[in-house]
Amino acid sequence: MAAQLSAGAVLRIYNDDTSGHPILQVVDLKKIQNNNVTATSDRYRLMLSDGNHLCQSMLGTQLNSKVLSHELQQHCIVRLNDFVCNTISGRKIIIILSLDVLNGPVPVIGSPEKLDSTSQAPITTSAVASAPPQQPPYPMAAAAAAAASNGNGTHRQNPATQTNNRTPPDRFGSTLARGGSSAVSRTPSSSTMYPIKALNPFQNRWTIKARVTSKTDLKSWSNAQGRSGKVFSVDLLDSEGGELRGTFFSEAAEKFFGILQVDKVYTFSKGTLKPANRQYSTLNNEWDCVFDQHTEIILVPDEGDIQKMKFSFIPIASLSQQEPNSTVDIIGVVHAFTAVSSIMIKSSQQERLRRTVTLLDQSRSSIELTIWGDKAQSLESSLDNHPIFAIKGARVTDYNGRSLSTINSSYIELNPDLSESIQLRAWYDNEGRTESVSSLSAAANKSAAGHSNQHKTLSQIKDENIGAEDKPVWFTTKVTVTYIKHDSDRPIWYMACPTEGCNKKVMEQSDGWHCESCQKSYPEAEPRYILSISANDATGTAWFNGFNDVGLSILNKSAKELKEYKDMNDMNSYEATFSDAVFRTYNFNVRAKLDAYMDDKRVRLNIMNATPIDFVQESRTLIEEINRYCTM
């Protein structure tokens, strides 16, 4: 039996009574012309009936799945849980934010008629976006219904109660905007407090309360029309888990950049919503917000009702099914890592720092994550202890099978206070450290070059011709350093540019050193290692190449210190450095690649990372291998 329609509901809604959860029938459902949003965000128009009267409405795009799955169809009976009502071009339009389908299609109930008999053209999204909406206060009954219907048991407080009971917001000291006015309002806006999930472009009077979870650097921008300015972005999170990317351009960027702080809570009003740009935003929201110089931002007390960060973790094993360039949240333990290196970005002709870490989780899969920029360097002291990484907004790439990469908006938290982190740590310490795992990032190497990123003995390197093909191959090997070449007539370093991140070789001049890359001259240059290392294991011997970070790990002294020994003719200290470094065992992470010079071709083995043996971990690995052998 069909549900009873809410008699008189349309009249009440037209009179701005948006309380309760009216039960209505969908007498018409059509996709409408879409001129304002991306093609992937279709818009649907519904004609709703209470049995007596009709009213037009638009479906929030978060509910499109109900149409696509055919759950929501013409002549269905629905209950509106969350909605607002705007007047657009003299016509009342209901914006549906949440609904439940109570019954499948049934014959039209009653003989509903339009309240407004004036003939008007059908609405489109462009007409809605251009019309000035009249926004009523956010209904408390609908707010409670939306909270009850989201399935997570959260309860939304009465906005009026929140505002009235809140401690007065702090004044921002002497921080003033241009013209002497405060850049952040001292008193809250009179607009109604809205949850982020309820925002849409058909509103222009709203206020949200949210925590700043991340903030980008202030950057310069320019376009083909000759315009330029500053820009930065923030990620916002509210008490109901809604997320929003906010961007500030030009005057607004200069006005608010120094004021907004990560982890502080503010209210925001007077912003413009636009379709989210997935190239820059990784949040679960179809809209971004542009804030201008007229935006009102208020620092408010942190009442503890907003999370520090919201994650939506997926298992590493499932990343093989993710589309390239999609963004994901991942939690994993750092099993291995490489040294920081620099790479020239072709598009900008600038060098960037990068570091690769290998992450594991309980799905018994691993994946490589490339960390870019200063973050790659700042994590140096934390990686040796196998920390837990919680990563928000990592980009999936198809490089090397499947891999992850940080982008400007990515966020990394070390050893987060989360239940997932506690469970992952227990698994890794008890069994995951020594378990055999499937590497998603080794798939491409295996198919393209015939080898995966796994452990190899020195005899296997030669017998399997590892690295003899066009593409480089990565592997690990456990070896003992037996000799480090250090002929007296050939230094083990080169003189490098002292500019951080450059590291290019410089040419000596009469008045100092000149860097062709930076096109600058310097009074001093920095010595950096370039080593040839002979190493053995039980199966053979091989020569490896190592650069500055590897030299620091093995020799425990900088190239500058060794150069000073030699310059002062302190050969005892110089030779002692090499004597102390040999006959020590390391795990080498190696990149093997065919190198051609003139007519001579040979495989070069470059050490990307050298780590001393962890005897506890090695013992566990050996026990695991013995047990596996015994069960064969």
Side-chain angles (χ1 to χ4, degrees), residues 213-214 235-237 241-245 280-285 307-314 326-332 359 369 389-396 404-414 416 418:
T213 58
S214 69
D235 288 345
L236 306 177
L237 175 66
E243 298 176 285
L244 182 68
R245 163 60 63 94
Y280 303 105
S281 178
T282 62
L283 303 182
N284 184 25
N285 195 330
Q307 294 175 268
K308 300 291 184 181
M309 179 63 69
K310 180 184 178 183
F311 295 100
S312 299
F313 298 125
I314 64 173
S326 61
T327 55
V328 294
D329 295 353
I330 286 292
I331 186 167
L359 301 176
L369 166 72
F389 273 16
I391 306 146
K392 184 174 183 64
R395 175 155 291 165
V396 179
L404 297 174
S405 178
T406 61
I407 55 179
N408 287 337
S409 58
S410 298
Y411 170 83
I412 300 178
E413 185 173 346
L414 272 65
L418 300 171

Side-chain angles (χ1 to χ4, degrees), residues 142-157:
S149 66
N150 63 15
N152 60 13
T154 56
H155 176 67
R156 184 184 301 160
Q157 293 180 326

Side-chain angles (χ1 to χ4, degrees), residues 398-509:
D398 55 5
Y399 173 74
N400 196 18
R402 274 290 185 272
S403 59
L404 297 174
S405 178
T406 61
I407 55 179
N408 287 337
S409 58
S410 298
Y411 170 83
I412 300 178
E413 185 173 346
L414 272 65
N415 300 315
D417 186 16
L418 300 171
S419 60
E420 294 93 338
S421 178
I422 297 171
Q423 295 167 9
L424 182 57
R425 171 57 63 195
W427 170 80
Y428 184 76
D429 289 344
N430 293 326
E431 52 182 304
R433 187 190 297 262
T434 58
E435 277 200 357
S436 177
V437 299
S438 173
S439 174
L440 302 186
S441 299
N445 276 344
K446 191 161 187 176
S447 60
H451 303 284
S452 61
N453 188 6
Q454 59 185 353
H455 182 82
K456 296 290 183 181
T457 64
L458 297 186
S459 63
Q460 286 176 312
I461 298 172
K462 296 178 181 178
D463 295 344
E464 299 176 17
N465 290 322
I466 293 178
E469 300 178 11
D470 291 336
K471 293 188 177 182
V473 177
W474 294 70
F475 63 90
T476 60
T477 185
K478 182 173 66 176
V479 294
T480 299
V481 174
T482 55
Y483 180 70
I484 302 172
K485 195 172 183 179
H486 56 288
D487 299 339
S488 58
D489 60 338
R490 183 180 178 184
I492 61 170
W493 56 78
Y494 70 98
M495 303 307 292
C497 176
T499 300
E500 185 176 358
C502 179
N503 303 332
K504 294 300 174 75
K505 187 176 180 179
V506 293
M507 303 298 295
E508 188 172 11
Q509 298 178 331

Side-chain angles (χ1 to χ4, degrees), residues 10 32 86 165 176 205 263 408 445 452 522 533 594 612-613:
V10 172
I32 62 176
N86 287 342
N165 293 342
L176 299 178
R205 289 185 295 172
D263 204 34
N408 287 337
N445 276 344
S452 61
Y522 305 92
I533 300 171
L594 189 65
I613 296 298

Side-chain angles (χ1 to χ4, degrees), residues 31 62 92 319 370 409 447 485 500 594 625:
K31 183 190 293 188
Q62 70 272 22
K92 294 282 188 177
L319 292 175
T370 301
S409 58
S447 60
K485 195 172 183 179
E500 185 176 358
L594 189 65
E625 291 179 357

Side-chain angles (χ1 to χ4, degrees), residues 74-381:
Q74 187 172 346
H75 298 159
C76 281
I77 306 298
V78 299
R79 177 176 59 227
L80 304 189
N81 296 320
D82 197 353
F83 62 97
V84 293
C85 186
N86 287 342
T87 301
I88 301 173
S89 301
R91 182 190 308 218
K92 294 282 188 177
I93 303 294
I94 298 175
I95 310 300
I96 304 173
L97 304 174
S98 174
L99 63 76
D100 291 327
V101 178
L102 303 182
N103 288 98
V106 298
V108 175
I109 300 173
S111 301
E113 299 178 351
K114 290 184 178 180
L115 278 177
D116 185 1
S117 59
T118 305
S119 177
Q120 296 184 8
I123 60 170
T124 64
T125 49
S126 58
V128 174
S130 62
Q134 297 177 1
Q135 182 59 52
Y138 189 79
M140 284 314 302
S149 66
N150 63 15
N152 60 13
T154 56
H155 176 67
R156 184 184 301 160
Q157 293 180 326
N158 187 317
T161 305
Q162 288 181 316
T163 303
N164 294 339
N165 293 342
R166 186 181 295 116
T167 306
D170 295 338
R171 184 189 295 273
F172 274 83
S174 59
T175 306
L176 299 178
R178 286 194 295 258
S181 61
S182 174
V184 178
S185 302
R186 182 173 184 273
T187 56
S189 166
S190 59
S191 301
T192 303
M193 200 71 69
Y194 268 70
I196 287 176
K197 80 173 190 68
L199 300 182
N200 60 71
F202 316 130
Q203 306 157 262
N204 64 356
R205 289 185 295 172
W206 48 260
T207 299
I208 59 173
K209 175 187 171 185
R211 184 186 304 278
V212 176
T213 58
S214 69
K215 172 182 168 184
T216 67
D217 295 332
L218 185 65
K219 298 182 178 180
S220 299
W221 64 271
S222 60
N223 58 23
Q225 288 73 40
R227 298 179 59 194
S228 62
K230 301 290 185 180
V231 62
F232 80 95
S233 297
V234 294
D235 288 345
L236 306 177
L237 175 66
D238 71 6
S239 60
E240 296 187 9
E243 298 176 285
L244 182 68
R245 163 60 63 94
T247 303
F248 298 78
F249 290 98
S250 302
E251 293 181 6
E254 296 177 359
K255 181 177 181 179
F256 292 111
F257 181 78
I259 294 171
L260 291 174
Q261 300 179 40
V262 174
D263 204 34
K264 297 289 187 181
V265 179
Y266 304 84
T267 59
F268 298 79
S269 58
K270 298 184 179 179
T272 302
L273 293 172
K274 65 175 187 176
N277 186 336
R278 291 305 174 193
Q279 182 179 356
Y280 303 105
S281 178
T282 62
L283 303 182
N284 184 25
N285 195 330
E286 64 174 317
W287 308 112
D288 287 345
C289 188
V290 176
F291 294 109
D292 59 26
Q293 65 270 30
H294 302 298
T295 292
E296 295 180 1
I297 301 177
I298 307 169
L299 175 66
V300 296
D302 186 348
E303 299 170 343
D305 57 336
I306 304 176
Q307 294 175 268
K308 300 291 184 181
M309 179 63 69
K310 180 184 178 183
F311 295 100
S312 299
F313 298 125
I314 64 173
I316 289 177
S318 69
L319 292 175
S320 60
Q321 308 302 320
Q322 295 290 323
E323 289 294 324
N325 294 321
S326 61
T327 55
V328 294
D329 295 353
I330 286 292
I331 186 167
V333 60
V334 176
H335 184 64
F337 62 93
T338 65
V340 173
S341 61
S342 60
I343 185 173
M344 180 68 72
I345 307 299
K346 292 182 180 180
S347 59
S348 62
Q349 288 300 302
Q350 294 181 343
E351 287 200 3
R352 290 190 68 191
L353 297 177
R354 68 174 180 178
R355 182 197 296 275
T356 300
V357 301
T358 301
L359 301 176
L360 308 180
D361 72 359
Q362 295 99 316
S363 65
R364 289 170 173 77
S365 297
S366 70
I367 194 165
E368 290 184 354
L369 166 72
T370 301
I371 305 171
W372 294 92
D374 294 338
K375 193 71 172 177
Q377 186 71 51
S378 64
L379 292 170
E380 181 74 39
S381 61

